[in-house]
Amino acid sequence: MPKNGGGGGNSKKPVQVQHDDNSGSNIIFEDDNSKKRNKKKSANTAAQQDDATHPPGQEAAKKPDTRALIGGASWTGKLPVNLLSEHCQKQKWGKPDYTMTKTANGFLSSVLLKSTDPKTKETVTLPPFILPSTYKDVAAQSTAVEARHFAATYALFRVCSMRNVHMMLPPNFRDIWKNEFEVSKKEDVKAGRLWMYDADPFAAKQSQDEIQAQKMRKRAEEERKGVQDANQSVNITLAPGLTGAASSRVMAKGWTQAPKLEMGKRNRTQVEDLVRRNAVWNPHGNDFPMAQSRKAINEITDLGFRTSHVEEAIAHCRDREEILEWLLIHVPEDDLPTWSLPEGYSAGVSMASGNLKRDAAIARLAEAGYSTDLCARAIDDCGGEEGRAAEALQCSLVSADKINIAALNLTDDDSTQTWKEEQETLGAIFGHRCIIISTSVFEIRLQVEHLAACTLRIRRSMSYPKTLPTLAIISPKLPAYIRLSAARQLLIYADSNLLGEPMIFNLVDWLENELPRIIENPGKLRDVSAAIAGPSPSDTISTSKQAYTRLRPASISWKSGTPESLELYNRWRSRQHTPEQQKMLTHRQALPAWKQREAIIQAVDQNQVTIISGETGSGKSTQAVQFLLDDLIQRQLGSSANLICTQPRRISALGLADRVSDERCVVVGDEVGYAIRGESKNRPGRTKITFVTTGVLLRRLQSSGGRTEDVVAALANVSHVVIDEVHERSLDTDFLLVLLRDVLSKRRDLKVVLMSATLDATVFEDYFKQSSSVGKVNIEGRTYPVEDFYLDDIVQFTAFVPRYQHQAHGVEELEDCNPNVAKSIQSLGMKLNFDLIASCVKYIDSQLGAEEGGILIFLPGVVEINRTLDAIRTLPNMHPLPLHASLLPIEQRRVFPNAPRGKRKVIAATNVAETSITIEDIVAVIDCGKVKETSFDPQNNMVKLEEVWASRAACKQRRGRAGRVRAGKCYKLYTRNAEAKMTERPEPEIRRVPLEQLCLSVKARGVEDVPAFLKNALTPPESLAVGNAVELLRRIGALEDNELTALGRHLSMIPADLRCGKLMVYGAMFGCFESCLTVAAILTVKSPFVSPQNKRDESKTVRSSFAPGEGDLICDLRAYNAWSSKQSNSNYRDLRFWCEQNFLSGQTLQDITSNRFQYLSSLRDAGFLPPQYQEGTYASLNAQNANAGLIRALIAGAFNPQIARIDFPDRKFAPSVSGTIELDPEARTIKFFNEENGRVFVHPSSTLFDVQGFVGNSVYISYFNKMATSKVFVRELTPFNAYTLLLFGGPITLDTLGRGLIVDGWLRLRGWARIGVLVSRLRMMLDDVLAGKIENPELEVAENEVVVAVRKLVEFDGMDR
């Protein structure tokens, strides 16, 4: 077989390889001589071809380097062919062979793997690994070398798709791995060919060969028996199924290491009972296609099920998967295929209770086919009387009605004589076949062809023969449900034909004649299901819908001169003559915006949409809303005025509310108010201008109901929506624009005003002008001159010399620059130098001298702010202050007052200080030119927070801060060349963040096609990002069949991260609401623990001590609960000391408390909590607050699919005095793997970083955040067990080889297939409970039997406790 496409001369044809995945293994024998001949011939041929191509005297062109051809000029890693060879060597397989074919599209290559048995020396060669024909365009390569490496890449994918090998591949092959290869795998998995991607392809092939051989033997046997023979004989054996050798006996390595799944007997009985009673099959009533039914019957019968069972299932189910689930639940255990049973399964084995008489009675009753649990319940209900228990069981078999045990009476003397005479007669007729057990019980051995050891047990009933005797068919060869089905049909026959006369002989005769027919076609499983599982009381919780409506605001009445308008006009007019108002008016009239007052009023009055662009300092943010309000007041339409002005940040909303209130001489919360997350000051009906964050307004619109009509109704009392700083293009702003454009077509009186200093007005005008009239107003700025200095100037002014002189990477060459300055700049590199910032502050202070004025420093993040402030604190007479979004409003306001006498105010801020706020005394700005920006890679589904260059528009805004009150200076910590390379404007957030919450909000509006709707956005997001977001919504359970589920409807109304919202919903359902609420608040804010640089290990130890081994979030929850308890009974000093001792931030704990209150309010407004709910009320919602195992499970369920598998090393043991003991594994030997990235690493800050074991049989961890630096790290970790994965994870599929279950397409569990089906149905029932909770918010479901069953399973990992 040639190893390359060009090998071999013309004298011999290349070996043709049959590309067939279903072909058998090929056995190939080679010798070294033939290999050498082929190599030599190939070399000679290649030389001849080369000579023919390049005539003598002409030098051949230099061949491209293979590494550059495959990986690019900069690639230094390994190539696919080398990686595949190394993998084969590690697995002790043979060296891979390559085939090569030249087609019209290019070269096609494939890989053949082989393995030699060290004992038999037999070589097994697998069929070649070839992509499906639908991907032939991808597989075709322009050169043979590229085709060979492509083939190696696909072979690696086939055996290593569950690992992150693609991270080591060249970029182009890495992309193909994550796209075309992954899509192809999903198609194969859906078609039942998951075995093609096993890590050990030889074992998988062997298993498939055995399955095929089993099917061929079965078909041959059926053909040999013939149809006539089949009609004359009775099949009394178990339905043919897959043998053990074809199932769990042949396991790949991935299955042998998978966690084992077990379910306690009591739990299983309870869940089976719940599912049989309450599960809804085929809820939409879709009929199974007749054309496909015969094919489905054949396929599922081949899996080992009886044909009659499959036909019954088809009548209840909508597709093949549901048929399989129905069968696994309803077919009794002793008639299930072998592959669906657990390892070592033995039917009928139970533990003795110690009461031998009771155990013997239960065993005799169970011989009839009833479940032992049902028999035990009947014995106990009947006070230990076996006869009464037998009659009660028979009543449950024939009728589903509840049996009155007390009414059963077996001592009627009138029937005694009749019974005795018939017993004697039957003894004479049947001879030794009739066995007398007692005066009221005897047995008759039946004579049925092809069936040995079958007995009818007859027990006298009350008033026999006026009532039926108690019958039991006993045969160890017959499955239990067939015995019960035969008994049921026998009783129905007797009840219709034999009552009132001795009937035993006729019963025996009918049964001997009809039993073969019943065995062949036992009837419906549901007819005997009650006797197999037993009846249980129904759920008594009512789910009736309770009226619960939200109040909608009244529409605006544009009637002038109303009493309210007149009162408002009189108040406004009386204020105009006060000295304070006159002073403020003089200040306002000096602003450039005042000159455009009439233009703004006229534009807004004549157009639905008005675009106001104004330079920094023009006064547009403070004045435009006042112009509009004053105009309405003067026209005596003040009662109709309700202006909502959105701001991108909380500090902007707070600052503007304060400033506008001062200018109007009113207090905040009266005529002018604000509403931010967790805090608001306004009075409905009285507040006319409300400054809000964009998110607050968006949540108001989303919680209204979602449809366009609902959004219109939510804005019914709003006259103007003003969107400030619209140029920032946040995700919330873009979504708000989409909603408002729809609303404007239905509310012609609504006015929308867009404002910014740097917006591109044409873009927004084009977006709105198709449906609305658009006006534009431009306001010139009033900033004072600002002088710019760049990095080379700053280094020269300060004479700064870096501590370490070295040539940094990524710094451009500087021309026309002092050599010493250039050298210093080269040493600085691209990173921030905090010593340089401090030197710059010192220089500015010396230049200002005795003049007053503050310094504003723009930095990318909180860490940089803290380090800068630390450096500035070393300078004398400085008043350093931080400013960023994480600070409380009261802390943010500290930046506005002047500095203490004799000190200079220095503010270190993020980009929150760029717009909408004015710090009056700033005279100098230091701009680092950087910003921390979230970026999202939809290919890898990875979010990164990266430090990048700011846009030129942002730097212009920063520069303008220095010229608000006087001429200023801007010191730019970057070069002129770096500034020229900056982008003009920032990338819209909709194109660089995950879109799950946005897509859910869109779906909640009743939109069918989410991608089509989002194409109407100002800047449409990437289609791949939208597709990934919709897919994630499906995986977390928010979407099903393109419709919102009950969970999805809840999440769309909760103003929180989807995972936090899901956690709070679960908490309310499972009775641990307050704990889940706290965890959600912690995730929204941050962990309350601090980690000082010099005490990191000590801090982590203290954090772990709150909940050892339980994970990061449980530790944080316990710490918060301890703080909350101490807060109520300790003074401030003691509480602060306790926080310091435990490395807790008091401020962060207060922020968490604030967020808890905000979420409580939102959940009440959304209707999920009763309106009167307060902390400590509704005990049923919080009965499980201390149940850590349950809370861990709910956290994992909320974070799904952000799950990683724990891979433990092989167990080690050590001798001890008491015997051999198992050693805990070292933390570094425990590995973690997720679906997207393969191996991931626990972040060093996690409490699980160095643990050696996990609580509660945990074999997985959930994570809230994932970040990629040198490695892929996961954070906010919570360990959980296998049942949590089953109940709250992704879709469950069955491995029909009998190895277990597969969750979400990649997580394997060794266990019983029936458990997977039961849990899958239990999850559907849980969604129904959630739907009932939505319809009736006051419905208490914490003790619902479905919720209780789920809670027990996750708390005890499926075992009985």
Side-chain angles (χ1 to χ4, degrees):
M1 182 174 292
K3 294 188 180 249
N4 289 299
N10 296 328
S11 62
K12 189 178 241 184
K13 293 183 179 180
V15 177
Q16 296 295 319
V17 180
Q18 183 180 359
H19 297 170
D20 184 3
D21 287 343
N22 295 322
S23 64
S25 299
N26 303 310
I27 302 177
I28 299 176
F29 300 94
E30 296 179 340
D31 62 276
D32 292 339
N33 292 330
S34 63
K35 291 183 181 179
K36 292 176 181 177
R37 285 195 299 270
N38 287 339
K39 290 182 179 178
K40 184 175 180 180
K41 185 179 292 185
S42 177
N44 292 336
T45 303
Q48 293 169 8
Q49 292 174 350
D50 190 68
D51 291 340
T53 306
H54 305 286
Q58 180 178 341
E59 185 177 349
K62 185 179 181 181
K63 294 182 179 180
D65 176 63
T66 300
R67 184 174 299 278
L69 180 65
I70 303 302
S74 62
W75 181 253
T76 58
K78 296 180 180 178
L79 298 179
V81 167
N82 306 108
L83 290 171
L84 179 61
S85 296
E86 291 176 6
H87 182 77
C88 292
Q89 188 175 3
K90 289 179 183 177
Q91 301 297 324
K92 298 183 179 179
W93 300 339
K95 185 178 180 181
D97 285 334
Y98 293 84
T99 67
M100 189 69 64
T101 306
K102 187 173 183 180
T103 67
N105 295 329
F107 289 88
L108 293 176
S109 179
S110 61
V111 174
L112 294 96
L113 297 183
K114 55 190 176 183
S115 177
T116 302
D117 191 311
K119 294 182 180 179
T120 65
K121 303 301 180 183
E122 182 182 27
T123 299
V124 177
T125 302
L126 297 176
F129 290 157
I130 301 175
L131 264 174
S133 58
T134 53
Y135 298 92
K136 61 182 180 182
D137 293 335
V138 179
Q141 302 293 315
S142 56
T143 66
V145 174
E146 291 170 287
R148 181 183 173 100
H149 284 280
F150 180 93
T153 303
Y154 182 62
L156 279 169
F157 180 80
R158 286 283 293 268
V159 297
C160 299
S161 63
M162 68 296 297
R163 295 169 51 194
N164 59 347
V165 175
H166 65 283
M167 300 296 287
M168 297 184 284
L169 292 172
N172 56 331
F173 289 104
R174 189 186 311 153
D175 293 340
I176 294 173
W177 181 297
K178 295 296 290 182
N179 291 289
E180 285 84 358
F181 288 0
E182 288 288 356
V183 172
S184 175
K185 179 180 178 181
K186 288 180 181 178
E187 293 171 353
D188 286 330
V189 171
K190 189 175 182 180
R193 297 191 291 269
L194 179 62
W195 59 271
M196 292 173 55
Y197 299 87
D198 207 301
D200 187 348
F202 297 94
K205 190 69 174 64
Q206 181 184 357
S207 177
Q208 285 296 308
D209 289 345
E210 291 188 18
I211 293 172
Q212 294 297 328
Q214 178 78 6
K215 289 182 179 179
M216 292 177 64
R217 286 196 297 268
K218 179 176 178 292
R219 291 195 192 100
E221 184 179 353
E222 289 176 350
E223 292 174 0
R224 187 172 59 253
K225 290 177 68 175
V227 177
Q228 292 182 350
D229 186 47
N231 290 335
Q232 294 174 357
S233 64
V234 180
N235 179 15
I236 60 172
T237 61
L238 295 178
L242 301 179
T243 63
S247 57
S248 59
R249 305 298 183 267
V250 182
M251 287 194 180
K253 184 178 179 181
W255 282 104
T256 57
Q257 293 183 344
K260 191 172 183 180
L261 194 67
E262 296 178 318
M263 184 182 284
K265 189 174 182 180
R266 287 199 304 273
N267 274 338
R268 182 159 59 87
T269 302
Q270 180 187 5
V271 175
E272 285 176 349
D273 174 60
L274 275 172
V275 171
R276 287 197 181 102
R277 285 190 291 111
N278 300 324
V280 178
W281 302 90
N282 192 7
H284 302 296
N286 300 323
D287 294 331
F288 196 90
M290 292 297 296
Q292 301 177 18
S293 61
R294 178 48 53 189
K295 180 182 178 182
I297 290 172
N298 292 336
E299 288 178 351
I300 299 176
T301 302
D302 285 345
L303 292 177
F305 292 99
R306 292 181 183 270
T307 303
S308 61
H309 296 167
V310 180
E311 291 173 346
E312 181 181 354
I314 284 179
H316 296 287
C317 303
R318 70 177 184 272
D319 54 33
R320 184 182 182 278
E321 288 71 22
E322 195 170 66
I323 290 171
L324 200 58
E325 291 185 2
W326 192 95
L327 291 168
L328 286 170
I329 287 178
H330 289 89
V331 174
E333 295 172 15
D334 55 0
D335 202 28
L336 282 172
T338 309
W339 64 264
S340 67
L341 298 172
E343 296 178 59
Y345 172 79
S346 179
V349 177
S350 59
M351 299 298 293
S353 66
N355 186 335
L356 297 181
K357 181 179 178 181
R358 177 179 179 274
D359 292 341
I362 292 172
R364 285 191 294 270
L365 293 173
E367 286 178 331
Y370 302 105
S371 73
T372 54
D373 288 339
L374 189 62
C375 295
R377 191 186 313 172
I379 281 286
D380 295 338
D381 290 344
C382 295
E385 295 184 30
E386 185 178 341
R388 292 174 66 199
E391 187 163 356
L393 290 169
Q394 181 166 291
C395 290
S396 70
L397 176 65
V398 178
S399 172
D401 296 335
K402 189 175 177 67
I403 305 302
N404 184 1
I405 299 296
L408 299 177
N409 180 11
L410 305 178
T411 59
D412 187 354
D413 293 335
D414 294 340
S415 66
T416 304
Q417 186 61 33
T418 304
W419 176 264
K420 184 176 180 181
E421 291 175 357
E422 185 173 9
Q423 201 174 43
E424 292 174 354
T425 303
L426 292 172
I429 294 173
F430 293 109
H432 67 279
R433 290 169 55 197
C434 181
I435 303 170
I436 307 298
I437 306 297
S438 68
T439 56
S440 59
V441 182
F442 66 97
E443 295 178 350
I444 296 177
R445 288 202 295 269
L446 304 178
Q447 292 181 338
V448 182
E449 190 175 2
H450 301 296
L451 179 61
C454 184
T455 301
L456 177 65
R457 179 180 295 161
I458 308 103
R459 190 184 301 270
R460 182 169 63 88
S461 64
M462 66 174 181
S463 303
Y464 176 84
K466 296 177 183 178
T467 58
L468 296 176
T470 304
L471 304 176
I473 300 173
I474 302 166
S475 174
K477 295 289 186 181
L478 286 179
Y481 86 98
I482 293 183
R483 283 176 269 155
L484 290 172
S485 181
R488 186 174 185 274
Q489 294 184 47
L490 179 61
L491 289 165
I492 292 173
Y493 166 76
D495 184 65
S496 302
N497 301 284
L498 303 177
L499 280 179
E501 60 185 35
M503 64 182 78
I504 306 301
F505 179 82
N506 291 329
L507 292 176
V508 173
D509 181 63
W510 185 91
L511 192 59
E512 288 181 337
N513 285 291
E514 296 295 327
L515 190 55
R517 175 189 61 80
I518 295 172
I519 293 173
E520 183 68 22
N521 187 8
K524 295 183 178 180
L525 288 167
R526 285 196 166 187
D527 291 340
V528 296
S529 60
I532 296 172
S536 294
S538 299
D539 188 5
T540 58
I541 294 179
S542 171
T543 59
S544 59
K545 186 173 181 178
Q546 176 178 322
Y548 193 81
T549 57
R550 299 183 185 88
L551 294 176
R552 293 285 177 85
S555 299
I556 291 178
S557 171
W558 291 100
K559 183 178 179 181
S560 64
T562 63
E564 184 183 348
S565 296
L566 290 173
E567 180 186 353
L568 189 61
Y569 172 74
N570 292 331
R571 285 204 310 267
W572 173 83
R573 189 171 183 179
S574 63
R575 283 202 310 265
Q576 303 308 307
H577 303 292
T578 62
E580 296 84 358
Q581 187 70 79
Q582 287 296 316
K583 180 180 177 181
M584 285 295 178
L585 194 59
T586 302
H587 169 76
R588 291 178 60 193
Q589 289 172 347
L591 293 170
W594 188 269
K595 298 176 184 177
Q596 297 293 330
R597 177 171 175 270
E598 293 299 327
I600 291 172
I601 292 172
Q602 186 176 1
V604 172
D605 186 54
Q606 296 177 356
N607 300 281
Q608 270 196 292
V609 180
T610 303
I611 302 172
I612 301 175
S613 55
E615 294 293 329
T616 300
S618 63
K620 64 184 181 305
S621 297
T622 57
Q623 302 308 307
V625 287
Q626 294 192 72
F627 296 159
L628 298 175
L629 176 59
D630 289 344
D631 175 63
L632 290 173
I633 291 175
Q634 292 178 72
R635 291 160 54 193
Q636 296 187 9
L637 288 170
S639 62
S640 306
N642 185 8
L643 291 82
I644 294 181
C645 182
T646 71
Q647 296 294 324
R649 285 169 281 275
R650 291 186 301 165
I651 188 173
S652 302
L654 293 171
L656 285 169
D658 287 340
R659 181 65 187 172
V660 173
S661 295
D662 290 343
E663 291 185 358
R664 300 185 70 80
C665 296
V666 295
V667 296
V668 176
D670 187 42
E671 191 176 87
V672 179
Y674 65 83
I676 61 175
R677 188 181 68 188
E679 184 181 351
S680 64
K681 277 189 179 182
N682 56 6
R683 295 172 61 185
R686 189 170 179 91
T687 301
K688 297 301 177 181
I689 300 174
T690 307
F691 292 95
V692 303
T693 51
T694 312
V696 166
L697 177 58
L698 202 55
R699 297 293 179 257
R700 171 179 171 177
L701 302 184
Q702 287 178 265
S703 62
S704 65
R707 301 172 303 159
T708 301
E709 294 76 9
D710 296 323
V711 176
V712 171
L715 292 173
N717 66 338
V718 176
S719 60
H720 299 71
V721 176
V722 181
I723 305 177
D724 201 1
E725 308 303 344
V726 72
H727 75 280
E728 294 194 9
R729 301 294 306 281
S730 69
L731 182 65
D732 285 349
T733 298
D734 276 14
F735 186 36
L736 181 59
L737 292 177
V738 176
L739 296 181
L740 289 176
R741 191 170 71 162
D742 288 346
V743 171
L744 287 173
S745 63
K746 298 181 180 298
R747 264 207 60 191
R748 291 298 176 181
D749 62 326
L750 179 66
K751 305 294 185 180
V752 173
V753 180
L754 310 179
M755 298 195 302
S756 177
T758 59
L759 64 78
D760 183 353
T762 306
V763 173
F764 294 93
E765 181 181 9
D766 292 342
Y767 184 67
F768 281 101
K769 70 180 182 182
Q770 294 181 357
S771 58
S772 307
S773 58
V774 180
K776 293 190 290 185
V777 178
N778 182 58
I779 306 173
E780 294 183 2
R782 192 203 62 172
T783 55
Y784 292 90
V786 176
E787 189 177 1
D788 293 326
F789 301 102
Y790 290 86
L791 183 58
D792 51 338
D793 301 319
I794 297 168
V795 171
Q796 191 167 356
F797 293 159
T798 60
F800 180 78
V801 178
R803 297 181 186 179
Y804 305 103
Q805 295 283 339
H806 64 281
Q807 177 69 36
H809 296 286
V811 181
E812 73 272 11
E813 295 292 332
L814 298 174
E815 300 177 359
D816 302 327
C817 184
N818 184 300
N820 293 329
V821 172
K823 185 177 180 181
S824 295
I825 292 176
Q826 291 286 343
S827 297
L828 286 170
M830 306 296 289
K831 293 184 178 180
L832 289 178
N833 188 295
F834 301 100
D835 293 333
L836 175 61
I837 295 174
S839 297
C840 188
V841 169
K842 184 177 179 182
Y843 171 77
I844 295 171
D845 182 57
S846 67
Q847 290 294 303
L848 291 173
E851 293 182 44
E852 292 186 354
I855 302 171
L856 177 59
I857 308 172
F858 283 99
L859 295 158
V862 177
V863 173
E864 291 78 11
I865 287 175
N866 292 334
R867 293 190 63 181
T868 297
L869 294 178
D870 289 341
I872 292 173
R873 288 189 182 101
T874 62
L875 304 177
N877 303 321
M878 296 296 166
H879 180 55
L881 294 169
L883 177 59
H884 51 81
S886 300
L887 296 175
L888 285 178
I890 191 172
E891 294 178 308
Q892 292 177 340
R893 289 192 178 105
R894 291 171 56 196
V895 302
F896 295 107
N898 293 331
R901 184 179 296 276
K903 292 195 174 186
R904 188 173 306 283
K905 180 165 64 175
V906 181
I907 302 170
T910 58
N911 57 352
V912 300
E914 280 180 16
T915 57
S916 299
I917 65 169
T918 300
I919 305 172
E920 297 288 354
D921 57 348
I922 297 299
V923 296
V925 165
I926 300 175
D927 181 15
C928 72
K930 299 288 186 68
V931 65
K932 282 193 176 174
E933 196 173 79
T934 300
S935 65
F936 176 62
D937 182 1
Q939 297 279 351
N940 298 316
N941 198 29
M942 180 77 75
V943 178
K944 295 181 180 179
L945 184 65
E946 297 178 307
E947 185 179 293
V948 297
W949 287 110
S951 65
R952 285 199 293 273
C955 291
K956 181 180 178 183
Q957 292 276 51
R958 296 177 178 186
R959 175 183 182 273
R961 300 293 105 180
R964 297 298 293 268
V965 294
R966 48 164 281 188
K969 296 180 180 180
C970 180
Y971 297 84
K972 301 179 178 182
L973 299 180
Y974 46 87
T975 63
R976 292 170 177 82
N977 289 339
E979 184 178 54
K981 294 177 182 178
M982 292 178 178
T983 59
E984 182 61 33
R985 287 183 176 82
E987 177 82 354
E989 195 176 25
I990 198 171
R991 295 184 66 87
R992 54 182 175 84
V993 297
L995 303 175
E996 292 83 29
Q997 187 75 56
L998 176 62
C999 291
L1000 183 65
S1001 301
V1002 172
K1003 198 66 191 172
R1005 301 185 69 231
V1007 176
E1008 285 291 329
D1009 192 344
V1010 174
F1013 177 85
L1014 290 178
K1015 285 182 180 178
N1016 295 323
L1018 189 60
T1019 303
E1022 289 187 36
S1023 57
L1024 180 61
V1026 177
N1028 288 345
V1030 173
E1031 178 61 26
L1032 181 61
L1033 291 177
R1034 289 194 182 96
R1035 293 182 69 179
I1036 68 174
L1039 273 182
E1040 184 177 337
D1041 297 330
N1042 205 32
E1043 296 292 336
L1044 284 181
T1045 62
L1047 176 63
R1049 291 196 297 275
H1050 264 320
L1051 295 180
S1052 68
M1053 295 185 291
I1054 298 175
D1057 179 277
L1058 287 180
R1059 296 162 295 180
C1060 295
K1062 190 175 179 182
L1063 179 60
M1064 290 185 284
V1065 170
Y1066 281 161
M1069 285 187 64
F1070 286 89
C1072 51
F1073 173 69
E1074 294 285 347
S1075 291
C1076 291
L1077 177 68
T1078 301
V1079 172
I1082 291 169
L1083 291 168
T1084 305
V1085 182
K1086 62 180 178 180
S1087 171
F1089 287 92
V1090 295
S1091 182
Q1093 189 101 12
N1094 57 342
K1095 293 185 178 181
R1096 285 185 176 175
D1097 292 339
E1098 187 180 349
S1099 171
K1100 194 192 323 185
T1101 302
V1102 171
R1103 186 185 185 191
S1104 301
S1105 67
F1106 280 93
E1110 301 255 15
D1112 303 325
L1113 296 176
I1114 301 297
C1115 290
D1116 294 349
L1117 170 64
R1118 296 268 176 84
Y1120 176 86
N1121 289 340
W1123 172 80
S1124 182
S1125 177
K1126 283 188 173 294
Q1127 189 182 35
S1128 60
N1129 52 30
S1130 300
N1131 59 45
Y1132 175 77
R1133 184 175 180 179
D1134 292 343
L1135 184 63
R1136 182 175 178 181
F1137 177 76
W1138 181 82
C1139 287
E1140 291 175 352
Q1141 290 291 104
N1142 289 281
F1143 295 92
L1144 289 166
S1145 166
Q1147 185 57 61
T1148 303
L1149 290 164
Q1150 292 287 358
D1151 290 349
I1152 293 169
T1153 302
S1154 175
N1155 270 272
R1156 287 179 87 258
F1157 286 133
Q1158 178 202 347
Y1159 280 148
L1160 269 178
S1161 176
S1162 299
L1163 290 168
R1164 283 194 296 261
D1165 292 343
F1168 187 71
L1169 290 178
Q1172 63 273 25
Y1173 180 87
Q1174 296 293 334
E1175 188 172 355
T1177 61
Y1178 288 82
S1180 62
L1181 288 176
N1182 296 292
Q1184 301 293 326
N1185 270 338
N1187 190 336
L1190 174 63
I1191 297 170
R1192 288 201 317 273
L1194 299 184
I1195 290 172
F1199 290 3
N1200 178 64
Q1202 292 172 203
I1203 290 170
R1205 171 176 58 85
I1206 305 175
D1207 188 20
F1208 294 97
D1210 294 336
R1211 296 190 298 174
K1212 294 182 180 180
F1213 300 87
S1216 68
V1217 177
S1218 58
T1220 302
I1221 59 173
E1222 184 177 351
L1223 299 175
D1224 289 332
E1226 295 182 29
R1228 61 184 179 82
T1229 64
I1230 302 174
K1231 299 177 181 178
F1232 305 87
F1233 298 88
N1234 74 353
E1235 184 180 16
E1236 295 88 3
N1237 309 98
R1239 187 175 180 185
V1240 295
F1241 296 84
V1242 173
H1243 196 272
S1245 65
S1246 172
T1247 59
L1248 300 182
F1249 180 70
D1250 48 10
V1251 298
Q1252 296 176 276
F1254 301 88
V1255 297
N1257 297 329
S1258 295
V1259 287
Y1260 305 100
I1261 56 170
S1262 64
Y1263 55 88
F1264 189 72
N1265 280 319
K1266 177 178 67 174
M1267 61 171 58
T1269 54
S1270 57
K1271 302 174 181 176
V1272 178
F1273 288 102
V1274 289
R1275 307 181 64 165
E1276 290 88 38
L1277 308 181
T1278 304
F1280 62 94
N1281 57 34
Y1283 268 92
T1284 297
L1285 177 70
L1286 271 182
L1287 283 158
F1288 297 106
I1292 301 171
T1293 54
L1294 307 178
D1295 178 75
T1296 53
L1297 298 183
R1299 295 176 295 189
L1301 312 169
I1302 303 172
V1303 181
D1304 213 11
W1306 73 286
L1307 292 166
R1308 298 172 177 177
L1309 290 168
R1310 285 187 297 135
W1312 194 1
R1314 192 173 203 158
I1315 292 177
V1317 177
L1318 288 172
V1319 171
S1320 178
R1321 286 286 149 179
L1322 194 61
R1323 284 165 55 169
M1324 296 172 67
M1325 292 161 63
L1326 188 65
D1327 197 57
D1328 291 339
V1329 175
L1330 182 58
K1333 176 75 173 172
I1334 285 183
E1335 293 184 354
N1336 184 359
E1338 296 193 9
L1339 179 66
E1340 296 185 4
V1341 298
E1343 294 305 317
N1344 177 286
E1345 58 182 344
V1346 174
V1347 174
V1348 171
V1350 171
R1351 187 173 70 221
K1352 287 181 180 178
L1353 289 174
V1354 299
E1355 187 177 354
F1356 302 119
D1357 200 22
M1359 303 310 294
D1360 297 327
R1361 292 193 188 180

